[in-house]
Amino acid sequence: MTPSHTILNSLLDNDFYKFTMQHAVFKLFPKAQAKYEFINRGKHRFPAGFAEELRTSINKMATLHLTREEKQYLKDTCPYLDPTYLDFLQGYRYDPDEVSVSQNADNLSVKITGYWYRTILWEVPLMSLISELYYKLNHLSGDSDEQIIRTAKNKIEKYNALGVTIAEFGTRRRHAYHTHRLVVQALKQYGSKSFIGTSNVHMAMLNQTKPIGTHAHEWFMFHAAKYGFKTANGLSLEHWVNVYRGDLGIALSDTYTTDVFFSQFDKMFTKLFDGVRHDSGDPILFADKTIAHYKSKGINPLSKTIIFSDGLDYEKVVRIARHCQGKIGISFGIGTNFTNDVGLDPMNIVIKMTEAYPEGAYWTPVVKLSDVKGKYTGDPKMIELSKTILGINDSTQ
C-alpha cells in the first residue's frame, strides 16, 4: 500500500463551532470529560492497512500549533473570544493518546477519550482524514481540478440568481483538503451575491471571509448529562448567552426534537437569539413551526433567521426558499454537496459524543433525539429514559 501522507495543514482546519464551544467549555466546564466514537453509517469497507495510515496521520497532528498570524486573525475577527482562551489555544497541542484506532477486517473503530475542553477539537479533522484517506487508499481520485472549480462555480452562480445567502459547511466529509480549498476559492470568486462564509476557520482565513458557526448537539447533550433532560435546552442556551453576551446567536433546535425545544425556547430566549438552525426532519414543517413560535411570542418572524443545514442541494434550497419567502429570514449551510461532489459517492460517516463525565459526577451516556421519526442515536436505555422524561411519543412526532 502506498503511504498516503495525509496531514492537516493548520490547527484551524476545523469547524468554527468547535472553537466557540471549546472556548465556552474552557470557561465553564474545565474538569468535564467526554468520550466520542466513530459511526460508519454507510457501511463503508475499509482496505487493509487503513487503521495504520490513519494512526500515522493522527500522530502527525501533534505538531500542529496556532501560528502568530492565525492568533491575530482570531483576535481581529472574533473579538468575543477571550484573550486567555487565545493564549490557551496558542499552547494547545493535539494529544494522539486521546484517540484509539483499530481495524478488524474491513471494519474501522475510532474512539476518543479525555478532558472535554481538549477532545472537543478531534471530531471534525478526524472525519476529514478518514474521508480523504478512504478515497486515496481505494485509488478513487474523482474529477480534475478544473472540473471541481467549474462545478462549484456553476452551483454558486445558480444561488446568486436565486437570491439566497450560502455558507460552506463541508469540512467533515470532504473529498480532500485540496478539493475543499479549490471549492471555497471558487465560491468566494464567483459567489459575490450569495457566498457569505465557511464553517472552516482555516479556509475562512485563507480567503478573507467569515468563519460561521455557533454550537453543536454535543453542547446540549453534555448539559443533559450534567443537569438532566428537562433543563438541558434552557441551561445550554443560558450558558451560551452568559459566555457570548449576544454574539453567535443562532440556536440549534433538534437535540431533543424541535417540539421539546420550542416548548422551552421562552420569550427571553426567543428575543435574545437571532434565530435557529434546522438540522433534521422536514424543513418546510420546521419553518412553519418556527414562524408560528415567533408569532406566538409577539415577534415578527422577518426579524429572525433560520439557518438550514441538513443535506442540502440546489433543489432543496429552491423549495425551502420559495416556501419561506416573505415569511422569515433564511440562510443556508451546504456541506458535502460542495466539498465532495467529484463524481464519486460521498461517505456517510459521523463521530458522536457517546458519554460525558461532568465534574463531581460519573460517566453518563448521552443521546440525540432528532426530528426524523425514531432516528435517535445513543444508548437505547438512555433514549427510552429521555423520551419518558420529555414526554416524547414517536407516534405523534
Side-chain angles (χ1 to χ4, degrees):
M1 180 174 292
T2 304
S4 63
H5 301 302
T6 299
I7 59 172
L8 295 182
N9 293 273
S10 167
L11 184 73
L12 296 185
D13 189 4
N14 205 330
D15 278 345
F16 185 48
Y17 67 21
K18 284 294 176 173
F19 297 105
T20 57
M21 288 192 297
Q22 185 186 48
H23 175 230
V25 173
F26 178 77
K27 288 175 71 94
L28 302 179
F29 308 111
K31 295 185 179 180
Q33 297 180 61
K35 292 182 181 180
Y36 301 78
E37 190 166 340
F38 170 72
I39 303 170
N40 183 6
R41 285 179 174 170
K43 309 297 182 187
H44 305 285
R45 301 173 65 180
F46 292 90
F50 188 94
E52 288 79 3
E53 288 292 328
L54 179 60
R55 180 81 256 173
T56 298
S57 295
I58 290 171
N59 290 342
K60 289 177 181 177
M61 289 174 65
T63 65
L64 293 173
H65 65 277
L66 191 74
T67 67
R68 185 176 301 174
E69 293 76 19
E70 289 171 334
K71 185 179 181 182
Q72 189 62 46
Y73 170 77
L74 291 176
K75 183 178 179 181
D76 294 342
T77 310
C78 313
Y80 38 77
L81 297 177
D82 292 341
T84 51
Y85 169 69
L86 296 182
D87 285 347
F88 156 76
L89 195 60
Q90 193 171 27
Y92 176 91
R93 299 293 184 273
Y94 282 108
D95 180 359
D97 289 342
E98 293 168 347
V99 184
S100 66
V101 181
S102 62
Q103 186 170 353
N104 180 12
D106 56 11
N107 297 311
L108 179 69
S109 172
V110 181
K111 297 181 180 181
I112 307 159
T113 304
Y115 283 107
W116 190 24
Y117 77 89
R118 293 190 46 80
T119 55
I120 200 166
L121 290 190
W122 278 111
E123 174 193 348
V124 174
L126 275 182
M127 286 181 64
S128 69
L129 284 174
I130 291 169
S131 185
E132 182 162 355
L133 278 169
Y134 178 83
Y135 295 109
K136 279 191 176 183
L137 299 184
N138 282 304
H139 308 290
L140 301 170
S141 57
D143 292 337
S144 66
D145 288 1
E146 293 75 15
Q147 182 58 48
I148 289 168
I149 293 169
R150 189 157 50 245
T151 299
K153 176 178 181 288
N154 290 340
K155 286 180 180 180
I156 199 63
E157 287 180 342
K158 289 170 73 175
Y159 291 124
N160 285 340
L162 189 59
V164 295
T165 55
I166 300 289
E168 179 275 309
F169 280 10
T171 303
R172 298 159 182 271
R173 288 174 282 265
R174 66 190 182 193
H175 177 254
Y177 169 84
H178 179 68
T179 305
H180 194 179
R181 190 160 176 169
L182 290 176
V183 166
V184 177
Q185 287 173 345
L187 296 177
K188 175 73 182 296
Q189 181 176 352
Y190 300 108
S192 58
K193 294 180 181 178
S194 286
F195 182 61
I196 57 171
T198 169
S199 64
N200 186 291
V201 187
H202 172 60
M203 298 295 174
M205 181 177 170
L206 288 178
N207 291 277
Q208 289 302 294
T209 187
K210 185 180 180 182
I212 293 178
T214 54
H215 47 241
H217 295 106
E218 67 181 285
W219 181 250
F220 296 84
M221 292 158 74
F222 172 82
H223 278 75
K226 183 169 177 64
Y227 301 107
F229 290 109
K230 278 193 176 294
T231 58
N233 282 323
L235 287 173
S236 294
L237 298 174
E238 187 173 321
H239 286 150
W240 196 257
V241 170
N242 288 342
V243 172
Y244 288 109
R245 315 302 297 176
D247 282 310
L248 305 178
I250 297 294
L252 182 60
S253 59
D254 70 333
T255 309
Y256 305 111
T257 76
T258 290
D259 288 341
V260 170
F261 177 84
F262 278 140
S263 72
Q264 300 168 353
F265 198 50
D266 63 17
K267 190 162 188 174
M268 181 186 76
F269 290 134
T270 304
K271 283 192 166 187
L272 279 176
F273 280 83
D274 300 322
V276 293
R277 179 160 73 91
H278 170 262
D279 199 50
S280 66
D282 185 335
I284 302 302
L285 179 60
F286 177 85
D288 289 343
K289 285 182 179 180
T290 304
I291 292 165
H293 179 77
Y294 282 125
K295 287 181 176 179
S296 74
K297 302 298 182 185
I299 295 170
N300 181 358
L302 287 170
S303 69
K304 301 293 182 177
T305 299
I306 301 175
I307 308 294
F308 293 93
S309 62
D310 180 31
L312 298 177
D313 55 24
Y314 178 74
E315 287 71 26
K316 289 181 182 177
V317 170
V318 169
R319 184 165 64 94
I320 295 167
R322 286 176 177 167
H323 181 80
C324 295
Q325 186 175 13
K327 300 176 184 176
I328 193 167
I330 56 173
S331 190
F332 300 89
I334 299 176
T336 308
N337 187 254
F338 274 148
T339 60
N340 203 344
D341 186 7
V342 297
L344 303 167
D345 289 335
M347 298 193 79
N348 184 4
I349 56 175
V350 295
I351 291 177
K352 292 289 184 187
M353 180 189 279
T354 55
E355 295 182 64
Y357 194 140
E359 180 182 359
Y362 45 84
W363 284 111
T364 303
V366 295
V367 300
K368 180 169 81 78
L369 313 181
S370 83
D371 282 332
V372 178
K373 282 186 180 180
K375 189 179 178 183
Y376 306 145
T377 58
D379 178 77
K381 290 182 179 178
M382 192 61 79
I383 288 173
E384 289 307 311
L385 177 63
S386 67
K387 287 166 58 182
T388 299
I389 291 172
L390 295 172
I392 294 172
N393 182 345
D394 286 339
S395 64
T396 62
Q397 283 294 301

